[in-house]
Structure formats: C-alpha cells, structure tokens
Amino acid sequence: MRSRSEKDTWRNWAGTVTARPVREARPASVRELVDTVRSAAREGLRVKTVGTGHSFTSIAATDGVLVRPDLLTGIRRIDRREMTVTVESGTPLKRLNVALAREGLSLTNMGDIMEQTVAGAVSTGTHGTGRDSASIAAQVRELELVTADGRVLTCSEKENPEVFAAARTGLGALGIVSALTFAVEPVFLLTAREEPMSFDRVTSEFDALHAENEHFEFYWFPHTGNCNTKRNNRSAGPPAPPGRVSGWLEDEFLSNGLFQVVNSLGRAVPATVPAIARVSSRALSARTYTDVPYKVFTSPRRVRFVEMEYALPRETAVDALRELKAMIDRSPLRVSFPVEVRTAPADDITLSTASGRDTAYIAVHMYKGTPYRSYFTATERIMTAHGGRPHWGKLHTRDAAYFAEVYPRFGEFTALRDRLDPDRVFGNDYLRRVLGA
C-alpha cells in the first residue's frame, strides 16, 4: 500500500467522477485482499474496488481505501466436463475473450465493449443483446466473495444460494468479488448482418425482428428517421471476417475517427447537429460478416461520452422510444449521438435490470463535454413513467424509494446487505442513495 497525496486523484473513463482515497491497495492474492479489508475495517475506513472506470456513476468511488485489482488476473482453471472457466476478478473481459478463443471456448453472450474487468462488468449488470441469452452476470455459475469481516465465501446455487442470487449483480455492496466461474461453450461462429432501416419500420417490426434473431439491436439517429440495425445469428461458417480495408473504414474511420470530428463540431456549433445527423445516419452501409463471437459482439469505442440507460418491460419499449423521439423533435435539444436499443430475457438475479421480466434497454448518450442534463432529465421522465430500471453504472437520479417500487426483491437485497456488511465497510455516497442508509 502507499499513502496518497492530495494531488493523487482517481478518475473514471468519462471524467464524470473523481475520488481522493486515503490510500490505494494492489493485492496480488485473495489472502492479501482479505488483509486489506480487515485492516481498513479496523481503521474505520471504507473500501471500494475500481476496475477500468467504465461506470459513469460514482459506484466505485471512495474516500477510504481504493483497491485496484490489476494483479488479481488470469484464469484459475478450465473445467471441460462442467464447461466452466474460473477467472480472477480483475481480469479484463478482452483478455478473457481472447484466452477462451485460444482454448476453443466462448461465453454465450457479451456486451459491445470489452474493456471492463470481469467483476466490474458482472457487479453492475453489463449486458449485450439477446432473445434467449442474458447478461454476463446471468452466465456466472459460482463466485468467490470477500466479506466485511474478512471471510471468503464460495457462492453458487448450492452453496450460499441467497448470497449468490444477489451478489451476481452486487453493486460492490455485499463484498469484494475475488473470482468468478462462468459457463462457457465450444467456440462458435456468428454471422452479423448490419443494415440501415427507417425508424418507422424498425419500431413497427420490432417484435418480429426480436423473435426472428438470436441477437438484435438497433441505433436510432436523433433528428432523423433513420436507424442502423444489427442482427447476429449462429452460423455454420465458414468464417468471413470484414476485409482489412472495409473493416477499418467502418469500425475505425467512420465509427471512431470521423465520428469524433463531427461530435466535436456539433459541440462547438450545436446548430449543425441535425444536418450532421442526417449525413452520419447514412454513412454506414449494409454489410454481412462471420467471425468468432467476441469479434462480432464487441466494437472499439474510442469516442468518449456520457450515458444513461433504462431497462423497460420489453412490451413498452416501442412506445417509450416513440415518446423519446417526439420529445426531441419538439425540443431545442441537439443530440449528436445515436440512441441504442437492445433486449434481454428475464433472469433470476435479485437486482439485475432484467430480474423477473423480459426487457428492452434504451440508452441515450451525449458527447463528452456537451451539456447533457436537460436531455437526460427529459429522457428519465419518460423511462420512469414506464417503470424503467436504470443501469447501475450509468447516469440516473433514482433513489432507494424508487428502486423499492420497481424491484420486487429489493428488500431481500438490502436485508442481505445488513447481514453481510452492517457497518457499511463497502459503502459510499452512491450506495447510500440507491440502497438507503
């Protein structure tokens, strides 16, 4: 451990959160992690683990001991009979995906970025899109949890099942996850079909597009009637990845390089945003390619932004999206980032955003440095009217009273927290707001 000066400040990826902890810890083993927690508790200091800082909220911020898990990385074991992989909590998803592919294995589903640590992604409910396959947390079969009193709990459906049900999306409130065991399957191929489509067509055919595809998502460009759709389905092959030049053009030049430029222009001259949006929404052409899952599900995201995302009952998503479009159309807002829509099946995780209901996600973004509060406030008003649940790691203003209404098992989670961390060793201001004192 090393003491930190006043100038030593932790910042998240988007620059929306800063923290000045008393000190940092970089444990290299579970035993060292236990010692870190115990010593902090004796001193009356709070403890939080930060991964790569991809949460937009202050869920990982602390004024106590900040744990960096970058030495808790790597695969512990692969069990080919049970088809599971056990991995240290600080392992970045991108390293796990590559390592699994080399072993001829893959996760079933994943989000569209893979910079996060596995524990950070699981604990905040990171998800991709899927008709039948759910979030990363829903693929966890066992987890190892260091509790406030320094115990190391193994949690699964058979062992400490009540903790397992909650800690898969534990928000960092129940303890520090030190290892995760994921279900895996033999590596497979996905064929991605990307295609421009009108807003009216996507919304009118949304149920059919969801039902017909294993993984369906789309992006709507505000100030236009244009969307870009993506359908991912399993394929017998052969592999047919994007060409080197065409792939660079779509994924790097258009989606990152040029997108950065046009967003910078829109931030400087907001009046140009609608015209830019009309051009941007037509820049990406239809394409089809086939590759291993992590190369299809994930994309590079180099343009920095802030984000709000709400999980809605899937049957309400189209109405909510139409309301969002109408709100933007009649407002003076200038929105340069597309709105993202994805889905997930119901799961049984206590505070998963898809807990107990088939879900659609609507995510809104604004370019970093652009005023976003008016847009996000108006969006949140629409989403909460439909019983929406905000992503735990993305911007929102909801509190414990609201969550008690939209999560039937909310009291179950807070009671477990009272039992596992009565002194709030793992607490912070964000958890006080969303879970209560």
Side-chain angles (χ1 to χ4, degrees):
M1 279 185 197
R2 65 181 179 90
S3 295
R4 307 200 70 190
S5 71
E6 189 69 8
K7 294 181 180 179
D8 263 335
T9 302
W10 173 82
R11 290 178 174 82
N12 67 342
W13 178 82
T16 54
V17 179
T18 60
R20 289 192 175 96
V22 170
R23 63 176 180 265
E24 283 187 5
R26 277 189 163 89
S29 67
V30 177
R31 173 49 54 195
E32 289 183 13
L33 179 57
V34 167
D35 291 343
T36 297
V37 171
R38 285 178 171 168
S39 63
R42 283 194 302 268
E43 296 175 62
L45 296 174
R46 296 185 292 185
V47 184
K48 298 303 294 180
T49 302
V50 297
T52 55
H54 271 265
S55 287
F56 299 89
T57 65
S58 56
I59 190 168
T62 186
D63 56 4
V65 178
L66 182 146
V67 177
R68 292 188 181 271
D70 48 299
L71 299 180
L72 294 171
T73 61
I75 291 175
R76 284 190 186 179
R77 63 181 176 273
I78 294 173
D79 187 330
R80 293 185 183 274
R81 183 175 63 85
E82 296 294 329
M83 290 302 288
T84 61
V85 58
T86 301
V87 62
E88 302 284 351
S89 60
T91 306
L93 282 166
K94 60 184 177 183
R95 286 176 54 186
L96 174 61
N97 287 333
V98 171
L100 287 176
R102 287 173 179 162
E103 294 288 338
L105 302 169
S106 178
L107 297 173
T108 298
N109 199 355
M110 57 194 76
D112 63 358
I113 64 171
M114 54 179 180
E115 302 301 317
Q116 312 100 310
T117 62
V118 291
V122 166
S123 297
T124 57
T126 296
H127 62 90
T129 189
R131 180 189 60 204
D132 309 306
S133 54
S135 68
I136 297 176
Q139 298 170 72
V140 173
R141 295 295 172 263
E142 183 177 286
L143 62 85
E144 184 179 85
L145 187 73
V146 176
T147 61
D149 58 4
R151 288 179 297 153
V152 180
L153 295 183
T154 299
C155 307
S156 66
E157 289 184 349
K158 295 180 179 179
E159 191 171 1
N160 296 305
E162 76 288 354
V163 180
F164 180 67
R168 281 178 287 169
T169 304
L171 318 185
L174 305 177
I176 297 178
V177 174
S178 51
L180 291 154
T181 298
F182 293 97
V184 293
E185 59 178 300
V187 71
F188 52 94
L189 293 173
L190 283 174
T191 292
R193 178 183 172 191
E194 298 175 3
E195 180 184 6
M197 196 175 291
S198 72
F199 180 91
D200 289 341
R201 180 183 169 192
V202 173
T203 52
S204 64
E205 297 180 10
F206 177 70
D207 288 340
L209 289 163
H210 171 266
E212 292 167 2
N213 295 281
E214 293 175 80
H215 310 274
F216 174 70
E217 63 186 304
F218 70 94
Y219 300 83
W220 164 60
F221 293 81
H223 312 295
T224 80
N226 304 325
C227 297
N228 199 47
T229 65
K230 185 175 182 180
R231 285 169 269 194
N232 298 333
N233 291 286
R234 295 198 183 209
S235 170
R244 180 174 298 181
V245 174
S246 62
W248 175 85
L249 181 65
E250 293 270 350
D251 297 326
E252 287 296 341
F253 178 70
L254 292 178
S255 297
N256 286 290
L258 185 59
F259 194 50
Q260 176 85 50
V261 172
V262 299
N263 274 278
S264 296
L265 175 60
R267 182 176 63 187
V269 189
T272 64
V273 167
I276 290 172
R278 287 190 291 272
V279 174
S280 298
S281 66
R282 294 186 176 95
L284 298 174
S285 57
R287 63 171 178 166
T288 300
Y289 54 95
T290 301
D291 214 327
V292 295
Y294 81 87
K295 293 184 179 181
V296 174
F297 282 131
T298 68
S299 304
R301 292 285 184 266
R302 309 195 201 288
V303 181
R304 302 215 176 197
F305 54 86
V306 294
E307 181 177 1
M308 169 183 283
E309 180 181 72
Y310 264 80
L312 307 178
R314 186 162 54 81
E315 64 273 12
T316 71
V318 169
D319 286 344
L321 187 62
R322 286 172 174 156
E323 290 172 33
L324 180 65
K325 184 177 187 299
M327 181 273 292
I328 293 173
D329 287 347
R330 67 173 179 263
S331 78
L333 293 169
R334 295 294 177 260
V335 182
S336 61
F337 252 82
V339 174
E340 183 179 25
V341 181
R342 295 178 287 175
T343 68
D347 63 42
D348 62 352
I349 303 170
T350 312
L351 291 188
S352 163
T353 48
S355 182
R357 69 189 193 191
D358 290 341
T359 295
Y361 296 94
I362 297 178
V364 297
H365 315 68
M366 286 292 270
Y367 183 51
K368 183 181 176 182
T370 303
Y372 64 85
R373 295 189 187 280
S374 295
Y375 179 33
F376 284 14
T377 297
T379 298
E380 193 168 40
R381 191 175 298 119
I382 293 168
M383 300 304 156
T384 54
H386 289 278
R389 300 165 175 170
H391 189 297
W392 295 107
K394 299 178 184 180
L395 296 176
H396 67 90
T397 66
R398 300 299 89 189
D399 60 15
Y402 180 83
F403 291 121
E405 294 179 359
V406 297
Y407 283 100
R409 300 169 66 187
F410 185 75
E412 180 184 324
F413 187 97
T414 55
L416 181 63
R417 185 192 187 205
D418 287 341
R419 176 162 69 84
L420 291 178
D421 187 16
D423 298 324
R424 302 299 188 255
V425 172
F426 304 115
N428 64 7
D429 292 343
Y430 177 81
L431 293 180
R432 186 179 302 112
R433 172 164 69 90
V434 302
L435 297 178

